[in-house]
Amino acid sequence: MSIDPLKIVLLLTQPLSVALLLALAATLYAHWLLRALAIVACLVTLAMSTPWVAERLAEPLEAAYAGQPIADYGQSQAIVLLGGGVTAGDREGQTDATAAADRMRFAAALWKAGKAPRIIATGGVGGRDWSEAHAMRAWLIDLGVDADAVMLEPLARNTRQHPAHVRPLLDDPEAPFLLVTSALHMSRSMARFAAAGLRPIAAPTDRELLLYDDIRDVLPDTRALDRSTRALKERLGMLHLRVFSDWLGR
């Protein structure tokens, strides 16, 4: 496969690559211990910033819950849409769709297919009166969802808090509901809801595509570093839940 040389040059001259090269160059003049630490730090950062490593950290998490056609999902009492697909400012109208905006599109598609009568938009990050939940509701309405079909949960500020704040909004806490979030985030989300005694049905979306199948897979890429960082966050979050669940005897 032929590669445009300009793309390689651009990858090697982006801030991440330049910073790594300068840090390695600085080790030539450092004390041996500082030199060793700097080299290890550079190598770890380099590895984490390559698409090849990023995919091997993230892909098993995304594959844990396989997606399926919307028609294959059964009917549920609600669609629980987790925040993260939109950034909310401190007042109405300040919104920005993120790379995970597929969450809102997929939740809207499930609702339009009649898979649940309502969507619970949960997310408290943002301003006091204009949270992720409010911003997601505005996007869902733009996507064709009836305004009165969207319930707001504007308090939960992280994955750990979602189950407790969503539970009171469910008609029946013991009945299943569709849980919509990014594929990378699904394993941790399912574990959190299950640990709270709820019955989520995974409806993953936003599967990411990053591999190039050429030399770019082993060159530094800021998107790969971001993907690796998010994958490690998910793994650490699951480890935290497992450790504290065992400690509490659950």
Side-chain angles (χ1 to χ4, degrees):
M1 181 183 297
S2 61
I3 303 299
D4 184 354
L6 178 60
K7 290 185 177 181
I8 304 301
V9 173
L10 291 175
L11 282 172
L12 293 175
T13 55
Q14 65 179 339
L16 174 61
S17 300
V18 172
L20 286 171
L21 291 173
L22 290 175
L24 286 172
T27 63
L28 297 176
Y29 303 97
H31 183 272
W32 71 267
L33 180 58
L34 293 177
R35 186 182 308 162
L37 292 174
I39 290 174
V40 170
C42 287
L43 291 177
V44 170
T45 304
L46 174 62
M48 294 281 288
S49 63
T50 62
W52 190 88
V53 170
E55 281 303 301
R56 276 146 187 80
L57 288 172
E59 196 278 333
L61 292 173
E62 291 192 336
Y65 291 94
Q68 57 186 350
I70 289 178
D72 291 347
Y73 286 97
Q75 290 190 324
S76 297
Q77 61 174 320
I79 299 164
V80 174
L81 170 61
L82 301 191
V86 63
T87 299
D90 57 3
R91 63 179 183 272
E92 184 173 351
Q94 285 189 335
T95 64
D96 178 35
T98 71
D102 282 348
R103 300 182 189 188
M104 294 178 291
R105 178 199 60 78
F106 193 56
L110 286 167
W111 179 84
K112 290 179 181 179
K115 300 303 178 180
R118 58 201 176 105
I119 299 174
I120 300 175
T122 170
V125 178
R128 182 179 62 182
D129 300 319
W130 187 246
S131 65
E132 277 182 309
H134 291 88
M136 287 190 292
R137 181 177 184 271
W139 279 87
L140 289 168
I141 292 172
D142 285 344
L143 290 169
V145 178
D146 292 344
D148 58 4
V150 183
M151 294 188 67
L152 296 180
E153 188 295 290
L155 299 177
R157 302 185 66 83
N158 53 51
T159 305
R160 179 174 53 84
Q161 294 178 1
H162 283 305
H165 289 292
V166 166
R167 176 187 286 272
L169 302 180
L170 296 171
D171 291 334
D172 181 359
E174 297 183 359
F177 58 89
L178 293 173
L179 180 63
V180 175
T181 190
S182 299
L184 184 64
H185 186 229
M186 184 57 78
S187 291
R188 182 159 62 104
S189 300
M190 289 288 288
R192 283 290 178 187
F193 278 92
L198 299 174
R199 297 180 58 194
I201 297 173
T205 186
D206 185 36
R207 295 185 182 275
E208 301 177 41
L209 301 174
L210 184 60
L211 286 177
Y212 298 104
D213 293 326
D214 55 46
I215 193 174
R216 288 173 292 176
D217 284 340
V218 293
L219 293 178
D221 187 315
T222 54
R223 293 183 303 160
L225 182 58
D226 173 67
R227 184 156 165 75
S228 294
T229 301
R230 287 183 287 115
L232 285 178
K233 175 185 176 182
E234 296 301 322
R235 292 177 180 276
L236 288 173
M238 293 172 66
L239 177 62
H240 176 272
L241 175 61
R242 187 175 300 115
V243 168
F244 275 86
S245 293
D246 291 342
W247 181 62
L248 293 173
R250 293 187 294 169

